[in-house]
Amino acid sequence: MLLFRDEEHVDRWCEARDLLRGAVITLEQTWRLARGWYKDKLKPDWRRHTLEETENLLRSSGLTTPFWSLRG
Amino acid sequence: MTEMREDPGSLAHDVRMHVFNEAAATARVPQAPDIARALSRTEDDVRSALHHLAASKVLILAPNDGAIWAANPFCAVPSSFRVDVSGKRYWAICIWDALGIAAALSARAIIRATCGDCGVGLVIEVGDQDLLRTEGIVHFAVPAHHWWDNIGFT
């Protein structure tokens, strides 16, 4: 996932690569994802998130469209 | 037979803790020779543990030489996502991980990144709990259920 100046730059980047536009989210949403995903990464008892935990993280960050589905 | 072969999880745990603690403390991701020295193990054992961790999606190995590319959120090489924390300079492979460095370290951070399209510099400031300054938006090109098909592109 990349950072872009604005939506016009996202569209230009996609067009240049003949890619369909994916999903655009705010930095605040990305921060919620990053905190949920990484806040425990340095702890000895860290373990990967389960599918359900990851789904909850996405949902709590407001990411609920089919693009964010983990189940294909 | 080595302990690693008897119980892959045990050395993998020690390797994981060493890699992430070192990356956090020094802003440098250690590689197999460093890890082997630090844990008094052979490089072969450490490389086996690293492959185990990569298969478990704990870190990412470079496809060409098997070196650690990223012990996410920490990237082993300079990138377009620079994260400055308390006088140390970290790197991340993407904006999620750049923010993840601040989250993992529970620290204030300044992120200097570039627009994926035009390359203009963008600055994000992370405070104790919240973002204090933001520039830009985040684009996910790959739907979530395909993220690990090619994590480098994702």
Side-chain angles (χ1 to χ4, degrees):
Chain A
M1 57 297 299
L2 292 174
L3 184 66
F4 290 89
R5 193 170 181 172
D6 55 36
E7 302 229 8
E8 184 184 333
H9 285 245
V10 172
D11 290 336
R12 213 160 59 188
W13 182 86
C14 292
E15 284 169 19
R17 287 155 186 80
D18 202 21
L19 291 173
L20 292 174
R21 181 187 169 113
V24 172
I25 67 173
T26 66
L27 277 159
E28 285 77 10
Q29 287 175 301
T30 312
W31 172 235
R32 281 200 288 277
L33 289 176
R35 285 188 76 187
W37 195 254
Y38 284 122
K39 62 182 169 57
D40 296 327
K41 188 76 188 260
L42 300 179
K43 295 180 179 173
D45 59 352
W46 174 87
R47 58 164 178 75
R48 275 183 62 78
H49 295 82
T50 64
L51 179 67
E52 289 73 21
E53 288 168 342
T54 306
E55 287 176 332
N56 285 338
L57 175 60
L58 292 167
R59 198 176 305 118
S60 69
S61 302
L63 307 175
T64 57
T65 65
F67 183 91
W68 302 101
S69 169
L70 298 170
R71 297 176 189 263
Chain B
M1 183 175 282
T2 66
E3 184 185 325
M4 172 65 201
R5 293 186 183 100
E6 290 166 354
D7 183 6
S10 179
L11 179 58
H13 177 271
D14 291 347
V15 168
R16 174 172 69 82
M17 289 310 301
H18 180 74
V19 168
F20 284 91
N21 286 339
E22 278 291 298
T26 68
R28 178 181 165 274
V29 176
Q31 296 295 340
D34 314 310
I35 302 164
R37 271 194 301 276
L39 300 182
S40 300
R41 302 298 293 253
T42 68
E43 269 191 53
D44 281 349
D45 282 351
V46 168
R47 288 186 196 283
S48 294
L50 290 174
H51 281 284
H52 174 81
L53 293 170
S56 303
K57 299 176 181 172
V58 175
L59 46 74
I60 305 172
L61 301 179
N64 54 342
D65 61 2
I68 301 174
W69 176 39
N72 311 74
F74 307 104
C75 181
V77 293
S79 69
S80 300
F81 300 91
R82 189 178 108 190
V83 185
D84 291 317
V85 178
S86 304
K88 292 181 186 142
R89 178 157 300 168
Y90 299 84
W91 303 95
I93 61 173
C94 63
I95 186 61
W96 180 334
D97 281 8
L99 292 164
I101 288 173
L105 297 174
S106 298
R108 301 169 74 94
I110 304 284
I111 298 169
R112 291 181 175 83
T114 54
C115 172
D117 175 53
C118 70
V120 70
L122 300 168
V123 178
I124 298 151
E125 185 174 354
V126 184
D128 293 325
Q129 296 287 328
D130 301 308
L131 299 184
L132 303 178
R133 171 184 176 179
T134 65
E135 285 185 308
I137 54 175
V138 179
H139 176 248
F140 285 69
V142 180
H145 69 277
H146 285 305
W147 283 347
W148 282 92
D149 293 355
N150 181 350
I151 192 62
F153 179 71
T154 297

